[in-house]
Structures are given as structure tokens and as C-alpha cells.
Amino acid sequence: FSGVAGKAGVGKTAGKSVHGLVGYELAEIVLQSNLAQDVTLHTLETLLVERRVRKVGGWWFAQSLWDALCAETSALLREHHRQYPLRAGLSKEEWRTRLGLAPRMATDVFAALQAEGVLAEAPARVVGTTGGLIRLPDFAPAFTAEQQRQVERLLHIFRANPYTPPGRAEAEAEVGAEVLGALMEQGILVRLGSAADPVLFLRETYDEALARVIAYLREHETITAAEARDLLGTTRKYVLPLLEHLDERRITRRLGDQRVLGIVP
């Protein structure tokens, strides 16, 4: 009995991670406790009723270690929000790495923490990403009054020149890097092209461009970069990253100098 409790981490720091916030699968506990599987499972279930262990997916944690994992997750996210109040959240991968959790274990742990309200998943609104940001449940990024005024000025510039908008350097000069990053993270601005020299569009402009290119292809079957440029009233500087982005999303498919419809969203 004590061997099973010890292996589950009751009364000691178990596991191999930096923080010791690790759980064990039943087979591993059976192997190291030298008890039959049914005896081991019965013992673990007894400890579970006594609230001395916690079962998360297929993993068993000492309750004290699970409580520590919850507390460390909350502290990590709280500090991230303090340092970066305009960012939507912390990446799941950084959370996993900082807590020393193996990928397979992290999946079950994340689901349990989410269900318990310890953390929440930040909405994935950035074009071309799959999300993967986490936050405290009650956290929401918010601009100060001065930052909001700067944002409104910048968005006015974008709306005045929808298909020839300001570049990243000009936008940063208006609002600063953190605010600009927040606008992209929140999906208000869409970043296309290379990270070193991106093209930025308002979300509404991006959606409109997408609809116009798709409508043109449905009518004409093919489109060239020059035709897309004329269709949108822009320049190659802006249209090429847009078309390459549509290729990457398989909305269009490139055939030589032309593009045809791919998978329409």
C-alpha cells in the first residue's frame, strides 16, 4: 500500500521533470510497486477517495503535486499577463516546457486544467496560425485610453488606403510594437508575407480581397498577378504576398503564371 502511495507521489516529490509535477500511468506504478495490477488499482482508487491522489486522463498524480501544478500554472500565466498586458496569452508549448511536462501528459493535464477553470484557451484569430495560446479565465487584453486613440488613428489610415496600406515600420511608428502586435494577434490586422518584410491588411480588406478573387476565378477560371493587381487596385508589392498566402491556404493553386481555384473556404 505504501509503495503504491509513494509511487503516486504521496508525501514526496515524484517524477523526473524540473518541477516534479509529474504523473504516472498505471502500468508504471504496477511495475515499480511490485503489486498485482488489481491490487495496485484498488489501492489507487482508495487513495482517490481519500483525496490523496488525482487521476487525470490515464495519469495518476499525488494530490499535493496536482495542487502545486495548478498553482504554478496560475502563477506563470499571471506573470505573463503582467509583463505583456496586450498579448492574448502564453503559448501552450512554453507552458508545457516551463512545467517540464511530456507532450502526451501535457494534453491530458491541459484538458483537466481547462475543465477546472484554472486556465482558458485564447481565441485563435491570427490568419495562418492554429492558435495554441492560453490565458487566465478572467484575462482580456485591453488598450489604455491613449493606446486606443493611437489605434483609431492607425485604422483610419488603413481604411483610407485599403489596398495600399502602411507598412510595418510606419504602423509601428504610429502605435508602437506591442500595440501593433496586439492588433495582429486580435485579428484586426492581417499579416501576410515574410516576417522580415510583412504586408498588413485590415481584416475587412483581407476578407473583401478574398471574396473578390474567388468571384473573379468563378467567372474567369484563371487569374494572373497582373489581373489580381488591377482587380484590387493595388500594386505587386501587395498582391503577390496575398496570392502566395491564398496558395498556402489552398484557396488558389498556381499553374505557371496563372492561378485557379483550389479549396474554397
Side-chain angles (χ1 to χ4, degrees):
F1 188 100
S2 60
V4 175
K7 189 56 197 170
V10 175
K12 69 172 187 175
T13 299
K16 304 172 183 177
S17 73
V18 173
H19 300 279
L21 306 176
V22 77
Y24 297 93
E25 292 180 298
L26 177 61
E28 186 178 3
I29 300 173
V30 169
L31 181 65
Q32 299 205 24
S33 66
N34 288 322
L35 295 174
Q37 180 168 311
D38 58 341
V39 175
T40 302
L41 183 58
H42 175 74
T43 304
L44 287 170
E45 289 173 344
T46 300
L47 292 170
L48 188 62
V49 171
E50 295 173 354
R51 298 182 181 275
R52 296 174 65 192
V53 299
R54 172 65 192 271
K55 189 170 188 294
V56 177
W59 309 90
W60 294 86
F61 289 83
Q63 185 64 50
S64 60
L65 294 183
W66 180 254
D67 292 343
L69 192 153
C70 293
E72 182 130 352
T73 293
S74 295
L76 183 63
L77 292 177
R78 190 159 47 247
E79 177 61 17
H80 182 82
H81 296 330
R82 186 191 67 78
Q83 289 187 23
Y84 307 105
L86 295 181
R87 299 187 186 181
L90 179 73
S91 77
K92 284 184 185 178
E93 182 59 23
E94 183 173 349
W95 162 77
R96 182 191 72 77
T97 302
R98 293 280 293 274
L99 267 64
L101 300 174
R104 195 161 59 89
M105 185 188 299
T107 299
D108 288 337
V109 169
F110 175 81
L113 292 177
Q114 188 174 28
E116 290 185 12
V118 174
L119 55 77
E121 195 159 13
R125 289 176 288 199
V126 182
V127 171
T129 70
T130 55
L133 297 178
I134 59 176
R135 59 177 173 81
L136 291 174
D138 60 353
F139 173 78
F143 298 121
T144 65
E146 177 56 28
Q147 288 170 337
Q148 188 61 49
R149 285 191 288 271
Q150 294 171 342
V151 166
E152 291 303 324
R153 287 198 300 268
L154 179 63
L155 297 184
H156 176 77
I157 296 171
F158 270 85
R159 291 189 179 107
N161 307 277
Y163 288 105
T164 54
R168 180 166 191 158
E170 185 182 346
E172 279 192 8
E174 287 285 335
V175 298
E178 277 295 313
V179 172
L180 184 62
L183 290 173
M184 290 187 285
E185 197 171 64
Q186 294 170 23
I188 296 170
L189 294 179
V190 177
R191 184 183 67 187
L192 306 177
S194 68
D197 187 26
V199 166
L200 303 175
F201 285 109
L202 273 176
R203 164 69 68 168
E204 59 206 58
T205 303
Y206 168 84
D207 291 341
E208 179 186 71
L210 183 64
R212 291 172 68 179
V213 169
I214 290 173
Y216 185 97
L217 283 168
R218 282 176 171 155
E219 182 178 354
H220 301 279
E221 296 187 354
T222 65
I223 192 170
T224 65
E227 289 167 339
R229 177 198 64 199
D230 295 341
L231 175 69
L232 301 176
T234 187
T235 67
R236 288 177 63 84
K237 171 185 175 181
Y238 298 98
V239 81
L240 289 180
L242 176 63
L243 291 176
E244 289 167 1
H245 168 76
L246 298 183
D247 293 341
E248 289 170 4
R249 291 188 62 193
R250 297 193 293 175
I251 294 169
T252 56
R253 184 162 50 91
R254 186 171 181 176
L255 299 174
D257 293 334
Q258 298 181 323
R259 284 172 169 84
V260 298
L261 270 179
I263 302 172
V264 178

